[in-house]
Amino acid sequence: MTTLAVFGGSFDPPHIAHVLVACWARLAAPVDRVLIVPTFQHAFGKQSVPFAHRFRMAELAMAPLRDVEVSDIERELGGESRTFHTLEALSKRYPGASFRLVIGADILNETHKWFRWEEVAAMAPPLVVGRGGFPTPDESPLVMPELSSTDVRQRLGRGENLRGEVPPAVLAYIAKHELYGAHA
């Protein structure tokens, strides 16, 4: 049976910590492939650049990784993104596959806000990645660098150099499309 890790998020923009987590999930966790799932419309009302940009940037960020693909399942579903519905749709798309949900340790304190969290956790038992400032889970020695998309967006808007923190192909895309206040 194939096991797929589902790593969802806004990816607004994707940065090197996202790439490291995808790499960890593929190489250190008991999974065969990793699906990167950009949210279509954030369930908590968070505003993002259009889905097409975030999807393409995620593709560019993950391109060097084998057995990691970016899924447009949430675009197909449309509307507000709910992990429960995404997993249901992925189950239909990949019949017979089992799923694991990749989340950061910071999310563990927010699961009460999630739609049908207990069912989500049953459908795709979480693979929890450590995150700075939060207790590190026993099953993951990896602690994601303290890097957030919010910080990246702010720093891009100020014209700061983010080499080494955002994949070069993503930085080039951001500049070309003048996203986040960046200029080509």
Side-chain angles (χ1 to χ4, degrees), residues 77-105:
L77 294 172
E80 222 174 52
S81 296
R82 300 282 187 184
T83 303
F84 176 82
H85 298 305
T86 302
L87 289 170
E88 281 187 324
L90 288 171
S91 294
K92 291 176 185 163
R93 184 178 281 185
Y94 301 99
S98 63
F99 299 92
R100 300 293 304 269
L101 183 66
V102 179
I103 62 172

Side-chain angles (χ1 to χ4, degrees), residues 4-9 35-41 51 55 69-94 99:
L4 304 174
V6 178
F7 180 20
L35 298 178
I36 304 299
V37 183
T39 57
F40 184 71
Q41 181 182 335
F51 177 83
F55 182 85
E69 71 180 77
V70 182
S71 171
D72 67 347
I73 191 78
E74 290 200 356
R75 180 194 56 77
E76 290 177 21
L77 294 172
E80 222 174 52
S81 296
R82 300 282 187 184
T83 303
F84 176 82
H85 298 305
T86 302
L87 289 170
E88 281 187 324
L90 288 171
S91 294
K92 291 176 185 163
R93 184 178 281 185
Y94 301 99
F99 299 92

Side-chain angles (χ1 to χ4, degrees), residues 99-103 108 111 117 120-122 124-129 139:
F99 299 92
R100 300 293 304 269
L101 183 66
V102 179
I103 62 172
L108 293 176
T111 57
W117 169 253
V120 166
L127 289 168
V128 183
V129 178
E139 67 271 13

Side-chain angles (χ1 to χ4, degrees), residues 7 14-22 62 142 144-148 165 167:
F7 180 20
H15 48 69
I16 206 70
H18 292 129
V19 177
L20 291 171
V21 169
M62 302 300 166
L142 176 70
M144 190 165 62
E146 290 191 42
L147 183 62
S148 74
E165 297 176 70

Side-chain angles (χ1 to χ4, degrees), residues 45-56:
K46 189 165 128 183
Q47 296 300 308
S48 303
V49 299
F51 177 83
H53 286 306
R54 292 182 293 108
F55 182 85
R56 183 64 186 134

